[in-house]
Amino acid sequence: MTHLSEAPIGLFDSGLGGLTVAREIMRNLPDEKIVYFGDTARVPYGNKSKGTVVRYSEQILRFLLTQNIKAVVIACNTASAMALEALRDKTDLPVLGVVSPGAVMAVKATRNKRVGVMATKSTIASESYVKEIHRLDPEVTVVGEPCPLLVPLVEEGWTNTKITDEILQHYLDHLMAQQVDTIIMGCTHYPLLRNAIARLVGDEITLVNPAYETALALKKVLDENGLLNTTPANKADPYPYRFFVSDEAERFRDFAGMILPVDVRSAEMIPIEKY
């Protein structure tokens, strides 16, 4: 009989960005199995209402639960901001979002108590980072900057182009004018722009990658619940990662293959609306 600790982690995102979270989990928890769902038919979530994002997230949770998972990671800032509590009400499994781990690190990192947040319009509008940071330290000033053009640029593979630099500079100018010393990359696509952002803001600014912080938070939660897998994943299962999408399986596989440290053999398309 398989022990629950050997069950996979269920991870989902509106599309491709959550692969940066999957990558950090693979690096920091190499013995864990992963079931990843990318809602590629309905991406992006960043311009949708809370009710819609909650409904989509609950459908995805119901699918992931059919895969006998042991924990859920919402690898999407928008869904973390809007659907975390709703999903925690639907399951007894640990459910983590990416907002809280990023906020915790930003509060630790800032020296002048001025934190910038780059994110989608709906994540900024939800004020999820503002609320979480103020819960930790009410004295921190949080400056939000909606960056709607960055996700399409990343998904087109334009991470190192003059156009992307110019658009980034436009967004960053506002944050820098507010004298922030720490910037949260508050969308899971943005770590793929980390080098460009770091080059434009210089060494004085600390960049917080919530994907990395989420992997560390997940490790802590699994450990506290006795759910860390002690059987090396590749020994128990020669291919411990499974990928599902709601559309464009081939495009997803190609993009995932560029980001992840493993060979992505296939992505299975499923009719998520049925769940």
Side-chain angles (χ1 to χ4, degrees), residues 158-207:
W158 291 18
T159 51
N160 291 302
T161 66
K162 194 175 175 206
I163 291 173
T164 302
D165 275 7
E166 286 173 2
I167 291 168
L168 275 172
Q169 191 70 64
H170 173 77
Y171 294 141
L172 290 166
D173 281 348
H174 174 240
L175 293 177
M176 302 304 283
Q178 299 295 313
Q179 297 177 319
V180 302
D181 72 350
T182 301
I183 296 176
I184 299 173
M185 295 180 287
C187 169
T188 48
H189 284 74
Y190 299 175
L192 299 172
L193 296 166
R194 184 192 180 102
N195 289 345
I197 296 169
R199 189 177 70 249
L200 293 170
V201 299
D203 296 340
E204 293 300 304
I205 304 295
T206 302
L207 297 181

Side-chain angles (χ1 to χ4, degrees), residues 192-260:
L192 299 172
L193 296 166
R194 184 192 180 102
N195 289 345
I197 296 169
R199 189 177 70 249
L200 293 170
V201 299
D203 296 340
E204 293 300 304
I205 304 295
T206 302
L207 297 181
V208 174
N209 177 3
Y212 172 72
E213 304 303 333
T214 299
L216 300 188
L218 173 65
K219 188 173 188 177
K220 186 167 181 276
V221 167
L222 293 179
D223 191 26
E224 288 170 354
N225 287 276
L227 292 173
L228 272 178
N229 190 10
T230 52
T231 306
N234 57 359
K235 287 184 182 171
D237 183 342
Y239 194 68
Y241 308 125
R242 286 178 288 144
F243 301 92
F244 298 88
V245 292
S246 48
D247 199 9
E248 296 192 292
E250 190 115 341
R251 179 169 176 255
F252 175 90
R253 198 184 73 225
D254 291 346
F255 192 84
M258 291 189 294
I259 292 175
L260 298 178

Side-chain angles (χ1 to χ4, degrees), residues 106-107 110 113-117 133 140-143 180-182 184:
V107 169
T110 183
K113 292 189 183 285
R114 298 186 69 81
V115 172
V117 180
I133 287 170
V140 174
T141 298
V142 184
V143 182
V180 302
D181 72 350
T182 301
I184 299 173

